[in-house]
Amino acid sequence: MLRPSVSIPRRGRGPLWRDPGARALFFQILLLASVLGVIAFLVHNTMANLDARGIRTGFDFLDYRAGFSISQTLIDYASNASTYGRTFLVGLANTLLVSALGIGAATIIGFLVGLARLSPNWLLARLAGAYVEIFRNIPLLLQILFWYFAVLRALPSPRQSLSLFDSFHLNVRGLVMPSPETQTGFMATPLSLAAAIAGVVALVVIARRRQAATGQQWPVLPLSLLLLIGLPLAVFWATGAPLEWSVPELSGFNFRGGMQVLPELVALWVALSIYTAAFIAEIVRSGIQSVPRGQTEAARSLSLPGGVTLRRIVIPQAMRVMVPQVTSQYLNLIKNSSLATAIGYPDLVAVFAGTTLNQTGQAIEVMTMTMAVYLSISLVVSALMNLYNARMSLKER
């Protein structure tokens, strides 16, 4: 017997204020409108205040002549001809220099101290532990002032310089050393070095593929050293050794010739490196200890030497833990370099956000450019470290 079909009426859509998706979209639009409204209010209020005080806005000031000297310039700069835009580039170059030097030194010192913390040698482990506890618990600014005023400013005058081989002179004005002066044809040498680096990379890739296929190893290290040293050196001599050295000589109360490393740069570099290395050392120690003990025990059961076990088994696994934390320390070092103002090192903050801002009065433009630079540097470093971390991460099959 057939039963008549009964149609169930569909429940209509309720009001929009009961729809979770509609409510979420409404509140997001409301929040975005509120944020844009606050920004618009701040911009309008700022522009109105600037107009009321007769302060001009814009970036035209970058083309005005600066008129002040800078103690360290990695690019061409003349106080009587260069512009404020040039001072921005000079400060940026000095910031990048001390940041790169600090990252390199802090990485090496931190890695060595981190390994020393796990050394079976009681004295070495305790010294490494004392280093970490001392330098990471003293404020960075105090360390910068200590190295500058208590150490470097206590050095003798140029006439009583501490000299080495009559070419390197250390005094209160910094370190004076011979400077290279390139001649015609020297460009072939760095090009050959770049070619050698590319050759080493290709050699490493081929050696790894060959080892994966046959199990046989190539002597990559001696071949790489031979290529990195031999090729540029051969090109250098083949082009007639187009390089001369300007040796500093004492003339009156100062040295002439050569190149001078400012004491402000040395103090800032040493303080940043030692301070950041203390944190990197703990990251290295914790990363190595995160590797399961069974890994090292398995390596010992295969009679692998301790150095091979550390280099081939422990550190590659520990790097996956260390890289994200080390990245944060790199970013901290770059931002901490702005403390250079305390001792007069001409970095971006001192030269551009300091002297240039005081002379032009363009506070909004100057500070916006300065913050954008530090943000860009941090994002670039973070992106590069994330790429490296992605290569080091475990690949699932």
Side-chain angles (χ1 to χ4, degrees):
M1 181 177 179
L2 297 178
R3 295 182 179 179
S5 60
V6 179
S7 60
I8 301 175
R10 294 183 179 180
R11 182 177 299 176
R13 296 185 61 181
L16 288 178
W17 61 273
R18 288 187 176 181
D19 186 0
R23 289 201 307 267
L25 180 60
F26 170 76
F27 284 116
Q28 291 179 30
I29 295 175
L30 180 62
L31 177 60
L32 179 61
S34 302
V35 172
L36 294 178
V38 171
I39 294 176
F41 170 76
L42 293 176
V43 171
H44 178 269
N45 188 46
T46 301
M47 299 302 295
N49 290 332
L50 292 176
D51 291 337
R53 290 167 174 77
I55 301 176
R56 297 176 58 186
T57 58
F59 295 92
D60 295 338
F61 73 95
L62 294 176
D63 297 327
Y64 299 161
R65 186 173 64 86
F68 63 90
S69 60
I70 302 176
S71 57
Q72 175 180 296
T73 57
L74 301 180
I75 59 177
D76 294 335
Y77 177 83
S79 59
N80 58 350
S82 297
T83 61
Y84 289 117
R86 197 68 174 178
T87 64
F88 170 78
L89 297 178
V90 171
L92 175 60
N94 290 338
T95 296
L96 293 176
L97 173 64
V98 72
S99 299
L101 293 176
I103 287 175
T107 302
I108 296 174
I109 297 174
F111 202 87
L112 294 178
V113 174
L115 294 178
R117 290 269 282 157
L118 301 174
S119 173
N121 187 301
W122 182 88
L123 179 60
L124 182 61
R126 295 301 181 274
L127 290 176
Y131 168 89
V132 171
E133 295 301 330
I134 290 174
F135 287 105
R136 75 172 179 176
N137 289 307
I138 297 178
L140 176 58
L141 180 58
L142 292 181
Q143 296 190 38
I144 295 175
L145 297 176
F146 169 80
W147 288 106
Y148 183 66
F149 289 105
V151 177
L152 297 179
R153 299 298 295 179
L155 291 173
S157 64
R159 284 182 173 273
Q160 287 79 34
S161 298
L162 305 176
S163 302
L164 179 64
F165 305 123
D166 290 333
S167 298
F168 298 86
H169 309 277
L170 183 63
N171 53 65
V172 71
R173 297 181 181 176
L175 176 63
V176 185
M177 64 180 68
S179 63
E181 297 181 352
T182 60
Q183 308 297 322
T184 304
F186 178 78
M187 195 61 190
T189 301
L191 291 177
S192 64
L193 178 60
I197 294 175
V200 169
V201 173
L203 179 63
V204 171
V205 172
I206 294 174
R208 287 182 177 178
R209 291 179 178 178
R210 184 174 185 272
Q211 183 179 359
T214 64
Q216 298 179 356
Q217 293 183 348
W218 275 4
V220 177
L221 181 59
L223 291 177
S224 300
L225 293 177
L226 179 62
L227 190 60
L228 286 174
I229 299 176
L231 181 59
L233 192 60
V235 172
F236 178 75
W237 289 111
T239 53
L243 182 66
E244 296 182 357
W245 293 89
S246 174
V247 180
E249 296 181 356
L250 183 62
S251 176
F253 296 97
N254 205 353
F255 286 90
R256 296 187 180 273
M259 61 181 297
Q260 182 180 9
V261 181
L262 296 179
E264 293 82 6
L265 172 60
V266 176
L268 183 64
W269 175 44
V270 172
L272 286 174
S273 303
I274 291 178
Y275 179 78
T276 308
F279 292 92
I280 294 180
E282 285 298 278
I283 294 172
V284 172
R285 179 191 62 80
S286 62
I288 292 177
Q289 289 183 333
S290 68
V291 178
R293 185 178 296 272
Q295 298 287 320
T296 56
E297 293 176 351
R300 291 174 183 172
S301 67
L302 296 175
S303 300
L304 292 179
V308 175
T309 301
L310 184 66
R311 187 173 65 256
R312 297 289 186 179
I313 298 175
V314 177
I315 292 181
Q317 298 182 69
M319 289 295 291
R320 303 183 181 99
V321 178
M322 292 188 293
V323 169
Q325 303 177 67
V326 172
T327 302
S328 298
Q329 295 304 321
Y330 287 170
L331 301 181
N332 289 336
L333 186 147
I334 295 172
K335 291 177 287 187
N336 288 335
S337 66
S338 60
L339 293 174
T341 309
I343 56 175
Y345 176 72
D347 74 324
L348 183 65
V349 174
V351 172
F352 192 67
T355 307
T356 299
L357 173 60
N358 292 332
Q359 291 190 0
T360 62
Q362 304 292 330
I364 297 177
E365 295 84 352
V366 170
M367 296 310 299
T368 299
M369 292 177 63
T370 305
M371 291 189 294
V373 165
Y374 281 99
L375 177 61
S376 302
I377 296 174
S378 298
L379 291 178
V380 170
V381 173
S382 179
L384 294 176
M385 294 300 293
N386 287 336
L387 288 176
Y388 178 75
N389 190 35
R391 291 180 59 88
M392 295 297 298
S393 61
L394 291 174
K395 304 295 189 299
E396 296 183 1
R397 296 182 179 179

